[in-house]
Amino acid sequence: MRMRSVNVDLGGRPHSYLVEVGSGLLSSCGSWARKCLKGNCRVLLVSNPTVFKQYGEEVVCSLAESGFTVETFLMSDGERFKSMKTAEAALKFMAEARLTRTDAVVALGGGVVGDLAGFVAAIYLRGIRFLQIPTTLLSMVDSSVGGKTGVNSAFGKNLIGAFHQPSGVMVDVSTLSTLPEREITAGLCEMVKHGAISGRSLLKQTGEFLASVDRRSLISDLKDQVSDGSKTRKAAINGLSDLIAENIAFKAKIVTGDERESSKNISSRSRKILNFGHTLAHALEKVTSYRYFKHGEAVGLGILFAAELSKSLALCDEKDVNLLNDVVRNVGPLPALANIDGDEVFEAFKFDKKHLSGSLQMILLKGIGKPVIVTDEHIPRATAQKVLKKLLQKWA
Ligand code: NAD
Ligand code: GLY
């Protein structure tokens, strides 16, 4: 199977790195790690029991065969464990294992594991190197790339963290074969987000891929790929790998231009545009106590709200909004919104506002691939409320 490689070129700075995308890569992760870390050392593998049970042994064996001494720290599975408490436990483990500044952390798992492992790597001994091996679709196309690391706290999600770029990212698409279907849908929603803000070409590629594959059979194809090399299967998996690589390339381009999400940058290439769809998504997650939606699913609905609002503000035409609706329809079922109170959701928008010196910055669209950052004083409240009400009724 073809390998794809994306360079996250941070202006030639030493922390530029490669993202390798392919299938069946885990068994060679040891030699990849040697290349990224320029030699071998001690590594702390951070994972959780769900992922470790599937892939841990293969990764540990490959690292050991390549000369690494491997320590393993398993955090509990779930967003609520992306916390200071878990980070402290990991740091204690690292200190007791006497990891030094030349050692490294390897994250094996989804965004929760990756964010926490990256965070402890960022702060242990003021920063040691780390590698990302993402195993969810969302973490492959989004969280493993770009160097945002962190934990949740009583003040809110992801508010404690650090920018710390990995020294390399290995995306093995075959790990998606064990991923629950809703997690696939969540990752696909983040890919549609990238398509919407990147341009027609990526959105078209995403739309065509989603229309051409049956997601259930894609998952069984991923499972069977080693034993059955039929052409259709290869085409679907190649299509998915290409799409994942295109998404990473887009994210890498944005990160290159605005690595630390400068608050002054409000251009259409600000890193903030990656938050397209997130205003409604965060509010929906908040009013359902972070228990009802997968983050990506909420983003799927958030994309449609932002697009519809853009249309109501005469920024974006109906054709583009319909196109986005067509693509989102094919990501798979999104949770129904019955019993969700529009006023409460509207109130929850303020939560995002608090963190931005009092004004809410929404990412809207002037068309596909034309994101624009608009502050809430330019969005009439009545218009936003009307759009929200209409969509909540439609999605109930
Ligand atoms: P997750 O890490 O919770 O993974 C979802 C579930 O899938 C978990 O139960 C996990 O154990 C399981 N899983 C992972 N890989 C599997 C596999 N191959 N087979 C079977 N099960 C598997 O969720 P996620 O969606 O990957 O990540 C969400 C997190 O990412 C959030 O904390 C979010 O804040 C963060 N995030 C960070 C960034 C960033 O730039 N750093 C960007 C987007 C999201
Ligand atoms: N996921 C948003 C960012 O990386 O900036």
Side-chain angles (χ1 to χ4, degrees), residues 286-352:
K286 185 161 174 17
V287 301
T288 53
S289 309
Y290 300 93
R291 292 215 178 99
Y292 183 59
F293 294 99
K294 306 278 170 204
H295 172 68
E297 293 172 335
V299 169
L301 298 170
I303 290 170
L304 300 180
F305 170 67
E308 197 66 40
L309 182 58
S310 306
K311 187 183 83 180
S312 293
L313 295 170
L315 287 169
C316 180
D317 64 33
E318 186 156 9
K319 248 185 16 246
D320 285 341
V321 180
N322 291 343
L323 178 62
L324 269 176
N325 271 285
D326 289 344
V327 181
V328 171
R329 202 168 297 127
N330 281 335
V331 297
L334 294 175
L337 265 71
N339 305 324
I340 289 189
D341 178 43
D343 292 337
E344 223 187 298
V345 173
F346 211 82
E347 271 304 294
F349 286 165
K350 288 189 189 145
F351 195 68
D352 269 18

Side-chain angles (χ1 to χ4, degrees), residues 54-66:
Q54 298 284 353
Y55 306 108
E57 199 182 321
E58 196 174 3
V59 169
V60 171
C61 284
S62 177
L63 288 167
E65 272 165 20
S66 289

Side-chain angles (χ1 to χ4, degrees), residues 56-294:
E57 199 182 321
E58 196 174 3
V59 169
V60 171
C61 284
S62 177
L63 288 167
E65 272 165 20
S66 289
F68 289 94
T69 305
V70 187
E71 308 284 347
T72 302
F73 177 83
L74 296 187
M75 62 181 284
S76 302
D77 188 359
E79 184 71 43
R80 70 185 187 285
F81 298 105
K82 199 177 96 174
S83 63
M84 281 304 277
K85 196 172 165 206
T86 311
E88 263 183 52
L91 290 164
K92 182 169 179 272
F93 188 92
M94 291 159 92
E96 283 172 359
R98 299 194 184 284
L99 289 193
T100 69
R101 288 186 58 77
T102 51
D103 295 329
V105 171
V106 178
L108 173 70
V112 166
V113 165
D115 279 11
L116 183 121
F119 180 59
V120 296
I123 61 175
Y124 181 71
L125 301 179
R126 298 196 181 83
I128 64 172
R129 297 168 300 167
F130 87 112
L131 300 173
Q132 288 267 23
I133 308 182
T135 60
T136 61
L137 187 54
L138 182 143
S139 58
M140 291 175 182
V141 298
D142 193 350
S143 61
S144 65
V145 178
K148 276 190 183 176
T149 72
V151 294
N152 304 322
S153 66
F155 326 120
K157 265 190 88 184
N158 295 327
L159 291 185
I160 295 174
F163 285 99
H164 188 54
Q165 298 291 346
S167 301
V169 183
M170 172 183 268
V171 173
D172 183 345
V173 293
S174 56
T175 59
L176 297 176
S177 64
T178 50
L179 196 64
E181 237 185 294
R182 276 184 73 186
E183 300 293 349
I184 298 272
T185 298
L188 290 172
C189 288
E190 294 282 2
M191 290 162 83
V192 177
K193 174 197 84 176
H194 283 159
I197 55 176
S198 152
R200 289 197 184 275
S201 150
L202 184 55
L203 189 67
K204 183 165 176 269
Q205 190 184 351
T206 313
E208 285 174 355
F209 176 78
L210 290 174
S212 69
V213 299
D214 168 50
R215 286 161 349 107
R216 284 239 164 95
S217 55
L218 177 69
I219 294 170
S220 58
D221 289 356
L222 283 159
K223 279 198 180 108
D224 297 348
Q225 62 185 313
V226 186
S227 54
D228 180 340
S230 86
K231 269 196 182 145
T232 352
R233 286 189 165 161
K234 273 195 186 148
I237 295 162
N238 262 321
L240 178 64
S241 305
D242 283 341
L243 202 50
I244 289 172
E246 289 295 331
N247 273 268
I248 294 168
F250 170 66
K251 177 151 185 190
K253 191 171 78 182
I254 299 298
V255 169
T256 298
D258 186 14
E259 186 185 349
R260 292 194 167 224
E261 199 169 310
S262 154
S263 44
K264 289 197 193 101
N265 187 347
I266 49 158
S267 79
S268 62
R269 284 296 173 255
S270 153
R271 188 166 177 168
K272 291 188 197 111
I273 65 163
L274 297 173
N275 287 330
F276 178 58
H278 280 61
T279 307
L280 180 67
H282 287 156
L284 288 175
E285 288 178 284
K286 185 161 174 17
V287 301
T288 53
S289 309
Y290 300 93
R291 292 215 178 99
Y292 183 59
F293 294 99
K294 306 278 170 204

